[in-house]
Amino acid sequence: MVTPASTGANASQMQPASSRQRTSASYPSYGHNVPLSARRSAPLDLSTVERRGQSNAAREPVKRVRPHGLQEAPTFRPTDEEFKDPLEYIRQIAPEGKKYGICRIIPPENWNPPFAVDTERFHFKTRRQELNSVEGGTRANLNYLDQLAKFHKQHGNNLNRFPSVDKRPLDLYKLKKAVEIRGGFEPVCKLKKWAEIGRDLGYSGKIMSSLSTSLKNSYQRWLQPYEEYLRLAKPGVQLQLEFEHGGPYTPSPHHSPVSRRQPSSTPSNTRPDPPASSPSNPSTDPDRRSEQPVPPAETTPVRPAATSGFSSVNVNANLGGFTPVNRSPSFVAVNTGTQVKREAENGTPTPKNVVEHSQSASLDSIKQMQSSVNSTPATNGHGPHSLKRAVSHDSLTGGSQTENGEADSSNGRRSKRLRKDAPPTVVGSHMSLLRPAPSRTKKNGSRKTGDKCESCGKTDDHPAILVCDSCENGYHRYCLDHPLKDVPDYDWHCPKCLVGTGEYGFEEGGIYSLKQFQEKANGFKQSYFGPRMPFDPVLNTQRRETEDDVEREFWRLVESLTETVEVEYGADIHSTTHGSGFPTVERNPLDRYSSDPWNLNVLPFHGESLFRYIKSDISGMTVPWVYVGMCFSTFCWHNEDHYTYSANYQHFGATKTWYGIPGSDAEAFEEAMRQAVPELFETQPDLLFQLVTLLPPDQLKKAGVNVYALDQRAGQFVVTFPQAYHAGFNHGFNFNEAVNFAPTDWEPFGALGVQRLQTFRRQPCFSHDELLLTAVARDDTIKTAKWLAPALARMRDRELEQRVAFVSRHGAIFAHSCRLFGREEVSDDAECLLKFAVEGNLPEEDYQCHYCKVYAYLTQFRCHKTGKTTCLVHSETYDCCDDNLKERLIGPDHTLRYRIADDELKKLVQKCQDRARIPDAWAEKLDKNLEDEPKPQLKALHSLLNEGEKIPYHLPGLQDLAAFVQRCDKWVEEANNYITRKQQNRRKNEKAWRKGNAKAAQLEERDRELRRVENIHALLAEADRLSFDCPQMAALEEKTREIEKFRQEVNVALMSPHIRSIQDVEELVESSRNFNVDIPEVERLEHILRQLKWNDEARRKREQYLTLQECKDLIQAGEQLGLNDSSDHLLHFKDLCLQGETWESKAKELMSVEAVHYQQLEALSAQASRFPVCPDTLTQVDAILTKQREAQKQIGSIYERSKDPDFRKRPKYKEVRELMDSLEQLNSRPTGAIDLEREQKRHEDWMRKGKKLFGKANAPLHILKSHMQYVEKKNSACFDLEDRCRPPVEPASRDNSPDGLLENHNMWGGKSGKRDVFCICRQSEAGMMIECEVCHEWYHGKCLKIARGKVKEFDKYTCPICDWRRKIPRDAARPKLEDLQEWQAETLTLPFQPDEEDVLDNIINQATAFRDFLQSFTNAACTTNEEVPTLVFYLRKIEGAEVLLAYETNFFRQEIHKWAPVAPEPPPILEQSLSTRKPRPTKQQKIMAQLGVDRPEDLPPHLRTKQTSSTKRRSLESQSVRPLPLQSGSRLSPEASGDSRPSVSADHEPTLSSISGAQSSQLYPYSLSTSDASTPFAPGSSSSAFLPHAAVHSPSFPPRSPLPHQSLDPSLFSPPSYSRDHNDSHSGVDLDGHNPFASSPRQNLDDVFADLTNQDVDTVEPMENTHANEALEALDVSNNGNGIRSDHDDENTNSRDNRGSSPDLGDDF
């Protein structure tokens, strides 16, 4: 039929087929042999498609008015918690969803899986769909008109246009249907129904007689001849189709003509059987290949020969058959056999048949033809392989797409559609005509002959074989039903083409990537709807189409007979080869969505899905398929294979509209389809399996079928329920993914689905029986047994019934006995030779029925001749070989195989049924127990409860039973409280119980409430209400009777309690414990018993000693028992308690006073034995007395020892101090403590004298020993006799001196082998080291308090030893050796042995030994200038010591100045060596400075210090620090030498020549003492370091320091200028100003001592050598003036220059 230009269809629809194929294949540049996985294209931009959660996502419309008035299917929106388990959630919504057949599920907002497809590599092949061809009525109309045109053309009449009636074209198909409905042509004519038919066809002519005549004439001319031809030819054609199909159509609306036609010997009726398998496609025939159009590079290659299945109508010409008129090169019939494509190692797809069959020989009769048909059966639309089969196999079948880009066979649920040739257009008419075959010219005798006759199967007599111009199959002229004498010179069509087969399928489309298909889809939708949409004046453009517009237009195009629109659909794309839209564990292991249960790769096997029991993957069922749609692409009416559930998820794209029919209306739907298009079902009863037919919903609704609709958008699921038919279409470009799953409620539907597949001879996807047996083997839970037991029972009954029927037929042949009847041994001569075996494991192809394709998993009938297997149902009806029925049933060429024997099968099912009945059996046992006994035993109920709790299944009555048993157990527990004696121990300890906390009191109160006698009667009443029985009931009743008897005995005892003994009363009370209840009479009896016991206890305790608390407790207990003052015992203990309290108050009073009166305490301690007293108070009194006695004893002992004439027997001072500290804890001092304290003060005065000697007058006493240890350690290095005079050496961190520098200085003696020591401290190198420019000795910067930052690399420095004016920093005063000896002599007069004695002895011994050593150097008469270095060396050691050797120090200083003067004046006589630290202000002085107060009396009272005696003494000492006038070299007067310290006057402070005096005072924070000054050797530019007048006679010291660098300030190493005043005075310096260890390189000990003395770190004095430089310059001028400059001087100068750039010195500084 022609598409008119006015329809506005797509341009591609009006092009020839070959042109359209080239257009669709123009996107890729690959050849068709290139596998899809090897192709690459531009990736899809996901931002251009509608996705969930994005701004371009489609919005849900508020309400839609659908065409046909359809109701919406439900939409469910699960919560996050509900969405966790998909199967559980679907189980909850299934009751509602099954009413509609389909439903929509919108996931929670936070569930949004990524799109995991590689859009650059994803390529797929499409199918072409013509919308008006998928509608059943339209397709039946077009097929009928196509066949009608062929018939008339073959008979010489060209039906070029519709006949016209009432100036309108007449629809001949509708006319035929209208006449057929009314009984046919003759009844219509007799009853004059033509006018009625005209009205039904839409004609309203005024002259109905003319209309009737026109309709009648049209029918007689065009329809009646063809209908008469169909009546005669259709049976033969149907016979041929059934012959090719392998058996009769099942089920079929008409009887098979095979049964009506009898065999004939005429050649026209003698037809040989067709080949055993479907022949090859005509395009593969070498003779016909040249006539086929060459497909473009991108189209699928010609399909190879089918291996088996329903023989398609377009079989090869040389094998017989015929081709439909509208066959195209890419046509694939719906019901062709399955093909398998394998890809060779080099990647080239190579088609290969699974099974190759040979052609059967021709037969001479129809019976033989039927036998041949039965010997080569093929499934109705299926080959030997599954529709959706394991992807683990080498092939992927089932009507989907394979790796190499070709389509699999279309015999499955997803079929291909044939390609229609473009129909001719009638000039001058806009109506579309029928679809005839392309017009052919007359043959004129040159007609091509065929190679084989499709009727007889013979290849002889080639000139007599006619070739059909439609299907190109050949027939002998004499083999036709109406033989032809001559070869016709017109287009000739075989009967099968004229009658029609109803075959239909989708053509294969092009290969696209997602981006290419998106462009095609968007372009089509825009070009289609653009011109059709009305203009919107608001937007000033064409209105955009809505979903309602698309849906209405879709159904209009589907139902249109005249307008053809073609679209493409990428359907059934394997996710295993092309990729799933969901992340997978294999490709995305870290993505959480790869294991999400809603992932369609996970859903089929999640939770309780029964697909877990399928041993292999099934593509499209357990492995998802992918669908890529465009606008109007559709999926036709179908339900899922095996009636399974299905889930469809839309990853992105436009809306997909679904239509659903509930499973309850499935039969009504199928009947409505058969009634609507009976012609299609007549030739193809399995039409609904092919997914190629639509029927509008309004027609279904008219037939009483419920149809519902919904719209699926991106990110939404659509779930279809079992047996529910569904269809739909796409609104635009989208990407969906679908899979099947099977919850437990699916199993009954699955069994029905297998029966339906067997009925239509369709191949199932898996064996249902195998699934059940796998489930029973893997899962033995009751939950599984519940659904599995009924299924196994159905399987067992069906299987045993078939086995029994077969055995019956087997035994009916003749009476005999064989293994089928239970005999194990059969004689060799037995007539029954049928083989029987029980085999467990068989390949899948060995248990599939060759006829109906069902999986005969449990029982198979195997033919050894042909290797074919049948099920028991078709073991007799299907002729597997040429043996007759009797030979097949008892002959040796067949085997009956059982997988499981009958008994084993019964046991297996029974075991599962027993497991499934466990919950029911338990419920029955419970009901029987409750019904048989009015009061069931609690023990029996417990047994039932324990049994039910062990059953791993939900039991409806278990919860109620547990609640009832729990209430009964609670009753028994309460009853046991009154029956048993478990509370006895707690009741005996009632007094301790009552002393507990508040919670214990609450428990006691609750317990008392439970122990009421009335509770027992209440329990007995409650037991009657609960209606159960247990042994505790009888025991409780007996207990009630015993209580009543006991109460009578107690009442008798209460009448005369005092005449009974305590033991009798106690026995009565004790016997009440056995009842575990509180009897009111017992409480009174207990009170009397406690009174009796108290009197007895008081009587005994009057003879015992009691403490005060015990006495009070006894009195309190008596008063609580209600005893009055008339009780003699109570009055006695009250009197004792009063006396004890009096003693207690007196003792506490004595102990609390400051001066304890020990005589009174002694008296109280003696009285404690007569009165009840508190043990703690008595202990305190005794402790005070004990301490007093012990202290007095120790004081007397120490005081006596202090008077011992032997000094070594006197006590140590430490022992006395510890004793005096312990006396501080006593309230008052014992006798003799004052005398001992006086002796201690005398000893401490001696210690204070030592502190003053060392300059530590303000330090605590314990510092004396620490400081003396420090002095001892310091002197051990300075007074070391092994440290003899040696030449100056370099520190280890500096470079060696230049060679020859010291070669002329042998006077220094040999170099010591010990470790080199430096500085006045005589310690090893540490920290920054400075070299004296005169003596070249290295000094620690820390000892001289020179800051590292103030030293420049090339500045000169003169040490205090060489220049007496340079001050040596000292942290403490140095006592003279004579003073220390005098202080040591006083130790014998001390009362105690001092702790410092040993340290003092060591200090004096070291100094004395060193003084003795120096006697050889202190002879002035023997001193020469050569001994100056030696004198300098030992003066350095003396100055570094902490003990002053006055004579030696003054001698060395004078002698050095005499022989090597540096200072212009001789050094003064040194009488004492004091600290150079700046006095540190006290805390009070700091506060006074902050407040601006001059006198301490002006401070606020709370800031004043306490004026104790020690404070006064310290204040006097601090006042004596003020400087006193003292002449240089003179001694201090006795008044000034007491606590005062000499200091340098202001006139003697060092001043810089280049800076002011104020700045000088900041640079030099400490003052210099004239009596402690030393003479430095000032460096200069000349080689001599002495004054000019002594340069010639004095030896020169080699220079050891580098010359000043130009970039450094030389003034830092220049000595300061002094202005001396003869009236200078000394000023004392506080000792607490600086760490005495600051000059020591041992930092740890210095820090410790600084912490002990609380001293601050002094600032470091920068160096200034101005006078030394002046002296050196003068000496240099004198030498140059006298012309004296030795080579040695030049050498020194050069060496100084060279050393000035020493990097080591720079690093140290």
Side-chain angles (χ1 to χ4, degrees), residues 1648-1705:
V1648 171
F1649 191 75
D1651 293 338
L1652 293 174
T1653 57
N1654 298 322
Q1655 295 174 354
D1656 298 332
V1657 179
D1658 289 339
T1659 58
V1660 180
E1661 175 191 7
M1663 296 175 293
E1664 196 67 43
N1665 290 337
T1666 304
H1667 288 292
N1669 290 336
E1670 293 176 356
L1672 291 174
E1673 290 176 0
L1675 182 60
D1676 191 17
V1677 171
S1678 176
N1679 291 335
N1680 291 337
N1682 297 330
I1684 302 173
R1685 183 173 182 86
S1686 63
D1687 296 337
H1688 177 68
D1689 296 337
D1690 297 336
E1691 181 181 346
N1692 291 342
T1693 304
N1694 294 333
S1695 65
R1696 188 179 299 112
D1697 293 338
N1698 293 332
R1699 300 207 28 188
S1701 59
S1702 173
D1704 295 339
L1705 184 61

Side-chain angles (χ1 to χ4, degrees), residues 971-986:
W971 186 95
V972 171
E973 182 181 357
E974 294 177 358
N976 286 333
N977 292 334
Y978 304 104
I979 297 173
T980 61
R981 296 174 55 87
K982 65 180 181 179
Q983 293 186 0
Q984 180 176 358
N985 293 334
R986 185 189 62 78

Side-chain angles (χ1 to χ4, degrees), residues 580-600:
S580 171
F582 287 96
T584 59
V585 177
E586 295 79 11
R587 298 184 181 181
N588 313 91
L590 300 180
D591 196 317
R592 68 183 181 92
Y593 288 100
S594 62
S595 58
D596 191 281
W598 284 92
N599 185 331
L600 296 190

Side-chain angles (χ1 to χ4, degrees), residues 1238-1282:
R1238 187 182 303 111
E1239 293 297 322
Q1240 181 188 9
K1241 185 177 182 301
R1242 186 163 67 89
H1243 183 92
E1244 290 177 352
D1245 289 340
W1246 176 85
M1247 295 175 64
R1248 292 187 183 94
K1249 182 177 180 181
K1251 286 199 306 173
K1252 291 180 181 180
L1253 290 176
F1254 287 102
K1256 298 291 182 180
N1258 295 334
L1261 288 176
H1262 67 276
I1263 294 299
L1264 177 60
K1265 184 176 180 181
S1266 300
H1267 182 68
M1268 292 176 66
Q1269 291 173 346
Y1270 161 73
V1271 171
E1272 179 189 7
K1273 184 177 180 182
K1274 192 80 176 292
N1275 291 349
S1276 64
C1278 295
F1279 290 159
D1280 185 8
L1281 298 180
E1282 295 182 2

Side-chain angles (χ1 to χ4, degrees), residues 1349-1352 1355-1356 1609-1614 1662-1665:
K1350 299 296 183 179
V1351 178
K1352 292 184 169 53
D1355 287 350
K1356 300 176 181 179
D1609 185 7
S1611 62
L1612 292 177
F1613 283 81
S1614 300
M1663 296 175 293
E1664 196 67 43
N1665 290 337

Side-chain angles (χ1 to χ4, degrees), residues 1269-1271 1273-1278 1318-1329 1339-1346 1368-1371 1440 1442 1634-1650 1657:
Q1269 291 173 346
Y1270 161 73
V1271 171
K1273 184 177 180 182
K1274 192 80 176 292
N1275 291 349
S1276 64
C1278 295
F1318 305 91
C1319 191
I1320 59 175
C1321 64
R1322 309 312 296 164
Q1323 298 292 337
S1324 301
E1325 174 189 3
M1328 183 187 73
M1329 303 291 290
Y1339 294 87
H1340 299 106
K1342 186 176 182 181
C1343 294
L1344 301 179
K1345 298 212 179 327
I1346 299 176
I1368 297 178
R1370 300 192 187 280
D1371 295 324
E1442 292 298 324
H1634 190 68
N1635 185 355
F1637 286 85
S1639 60
S1640 173
R1642 302 173 182 263
Q1643 182 63 34
N1644 295 335
L1645 294 176
D1646 298 345
D1647 295 341
V1648 171
F1649 191 75
V1657 179

